Amino acid sequence: MNLNQLKKYFLISLSLASLLTINAFAEGERDFQITVNTKEIPLNNNVGMPFVEYDRTFVPIRVISENLGYKVDWNQDKKLVTINGNKKVELVVGETSAKVQGNKVAIDSAGKVASVLKNNRTYVPLRFVSEQMGAKVDYKQTPKLHIINITKDGVQVAQNDAPEGYLRPGETKDDVLRRAKAKYTEGNAPGKVSDKWIDPDLRAIYIDPFNNNFGVQLPFGFGVYNYKQFKGMDPNKYWVKIEIDDDRFIPYNDHFEMATGENQWGQMKKEDIAALSKKYPLDNDGSLIAPFQFFDYSKFSGTILRTKGYNRVVSPYHGDVIDYKATIHQDGEEHVYKFKVVYGRVMTDYTLNKYVPKDQRAYQKNVFEKTNFYNSKDNYFSRRLPLNWEQVK
C-alpha cells in the first residue's frame, strides 16, 4: 500500500462528540483558529471560545496555558487562577492586574482591562499571553477568520501530576521489554464463516502523535486494509464496530470525567460514550476508524477529559495489552470477535529531540527501537495485525 493510500487512514474527524470540535466558533462574522507550536487547539463550549471586547481579543487562559506546558489550578472561593511552569502567574477574575513571579503587572497595557469569567471559563487579553508567559503571538485576520499562532521555545507537554505514562513506578527498561514481547498470536478475524462472508483485513495503525502531517494527536487507531472489496456495498448492511473491552476503561463513567466548567467535572455524556461504539462502513475509503482516545498527551487530556483522581487522562503503559471487541456485520450476518492490541505509539527523531529530556533520549530510543516503535523522521506511522483473535458470536 502506498503513502497516498495510507494518508486516507488519518483524514478523519477525531471526535468524541463535543471533545474535539477543533475549528471555528463564531465571533460576529469571523471565527477563530488557534495553534500552539503548530498544534491546533480545540475550541468549544467546554474549553472556551475566544471573543472580542474593548477592541481586545480575549482567549481562554486554561487551554492556552496547558498547551504551553503550564499547570493550571483554580480556587473557586477566591476566583483565583494559578499558573505554574517556568514562572508563576496568579490572577483573580475581575481584577485589572495579576502577579507574575510575585510582582504585580497589568493585565493589559491600558491598565483598565480585567480578566473575565464567562460560561465558567477565565479569559485574558491575548497580549497577556505574549507579554507575561514568554510566548510569541502572530495574529492576523481574513474576511471570515481570526488566525492566532502561538509559539514558545522549549515547550514540554504539561504533566499535571499524573503518573508517567511510559514506565510504571519502579520499572526498568527490561520490564518494559518483557511486557512488550509477551507471546501473542498475530492474526485477523478467523476465516470465512459463510460462503458470502468477506474477511475484513483489520490492522492497528500507530503514529507519532507529535510529528505527523494529519494534525492527529493520538497514538493509534484501526484501518480496514481491504476496504476496496466492500466498495459500493450498503453501509447499513456492511459495517464494523470496534470497542474497548477492558475494565481499566469501561464502564467509562467509572473511570473518567468530563469538564463542565472551570475546574468543574461531571459524567461523560451519553452521546460521547456512544461515539466510542460507533459503527463504521466497511467501505470507508481507507479512513482511520475507532481511534484510541485515552492518550495522556492529547489536546483534550486534562482540559476536557480526565481520569478520576487525576488532573488528566492516564494512559496505559508502553507495551501494555488492551482488550478489544469487534462486531462485524455483513448483509444480515453478524459475528463478534475479541482481540488484543499492544498499547504504544511511534517515536521519531523529531519527537525524541524536542520532547524527551536530553538525559533520557538514549534510554527511550533504545526501548522504542527494541519494541519496534521507533521510526525515521519521514516514517511517522506503523501498522500491525491485532493479537489473539477469538470468535465469541
Side-chain angles (χ1 to χ4, degrees), residues 29-44:
E29 295 182 355
R30 290 188 179 95
D31 298 329
F32 283 88
Q33 176 182 293
I34 299 179
T35 60
V36 175
N37 279 19
T38 74
K39 292 296 183 182
E40 199 164 6
I41 302 303
L43 300 174
N44 57 42

Side-chain angles (χ1 to χ4, degrees), residues 164-210:
E164 171 61 51
Y166 171 62
L167 297 173
R168 291 190 178 104
E171 275 195 330
T172 67
K173 177 176 66 176
D174 289 338
D175 294 325
V176 179
L177 296 179
R178 278 195 295 271
R179 181 167 71 244
K181 291 186 175 182
K183 297 297 182 182
Y184 295 98
T185 302
E186 284 192 332
N188 224 308
K192 288 183 177 294
V193 291
S194 73
D195 290 339
K196 64 179 182 178
W197 188 262
I198 302 172
D199 293 334
D201 184 3
L202 191 67
R203 308 284 181 98
I205 312 296
Y206 298 90
I207 64 170
D208 184 336
F210 309 108

Side-chain angles (χ1 to χ4, degrees), residues 7 40 104 110 167 172 176 178 239 241 245 265 270 279 298 366-367 374:
K7 285 183 178 180
E40 199 164 6
K104 187 175 180 179
L167 297 173
T172 67
V176 179
R178 278 195 295 271
W239 52 261
K241 180 169 63 174
D245 191 37
W265 298 85
K270 290 182 179 179
K279 295 177 182 177
S298 70
N366 182 255
V367 172
Y374 198 89

Side-chain angles (χ1 to χ4, degrees), residues 75-242:
N75 186 309
Q76 175 67 30
D77 294 334
K78 297 180 179 180
K79 297 294 188 288
L80 171 67
V81 179
T82 303
I83 304 166
N84 283 293
N86 57 4
K87 61 173 64 176
K88 183 177 182 179
V89 179
E90 298 173 283
L91 59 92
V92 176
V93 170
E95 293 189 0
T96 58
S97 63
K99 286 185 178 181
V100 179
Q101 297 293 83
N103 300 314
K104 187 175 180 179
V105 300
I107 293 289
D108 182 79
S109 58
K112 298 180 180 180
V113 177
S115 55
V116 177
L117 188 66
K118 185 176 181 180
N119 295 328
N120 293 318
R121 288 294 175 189
T122 303
Y123 293 80
V124 297
L126 179 62
R127 188 169 180 176
F128 181 85
V129 174
S130 62
E131 292 183 345
Q132 304 304 334
M133 302 183 72
K136 179 184 177 182
V137 176
D138 293 319
Y139 178 87
K140 64 181 179 181
Q141 295 182 2
T142 70
K144 294 185 178 181
L145 197 62
H146 297 272
I147 301 174
I148 301 169
N149 296 313
I150 302 172
T151 55
K152 185 174 184 292
D153 292 336
V155 170
Q156 297 293 324
V157 181
Q159 296 300 305
N160 288 353
D161 295 332
E164 171 61 51
Y166 171 62
L167 297 173
R168 291 190 178 104
E171 275 195 330
T172 67
K173 177 176 66 176
D174 289 338
D175 294 325
V176 179
L177 296 179
R178 278 195 295 271
R179 181 167 71 244
K181 291 186 175 182
K183 297 297 182 182
Y184 295 98
T185 302
E186 284 192 332
N188 224 308
K192 288 183 177 294
V193 291
S194 73
D195 290 339
K196 64 179 182 178
W197 188 262
I198 302 172
D199 293 334
D201 184 3
L202 191 67
R203 308 284 181 98
I205 312 296
Y206 298 90
I207 64 170
D208 184 336
F210 309 108
N211 179 34
N212 62 75
N213 291 341
F214 313 108
V216 177
Q217 201 176 354
L218 295 170
F220 70 90
F222 299 89
V224 179
Y225 264 60
N226 62 336
Y227 66 90
K228 290 184 178 180
Q229 289 186 257
F230 301 94
K231 197 70 177 175
M233 294 183 177
D234 187 343
N236 294 312
K237 295 182 178 181
Y238 291 85
W239 52 261
V240 59
K241 180 169 63 174
I242 301 174

Side-chain angles (χ1 to χ4, degrees), residues 268-302:
M268 293 179 67
K269 299 176 182 177
K270 290 182 179 179
E271 55 266 33
D272 298 318
I273 293 175
L276 296 168
S277 299
K278 180 180 176 180
K279 295 177 182 177
Y280 295 89
L282 288 168
D283 175 17
N284 56 29
D285 202 28
S287 297
L288 185 76
I289 62 176
F292 182 81
Q293 303 281 3
F294 303 103
F295 179 49
D296 48 355
Y297 298 115
S298 70
K299 285 180 276 190
F300 53 81
S301 180

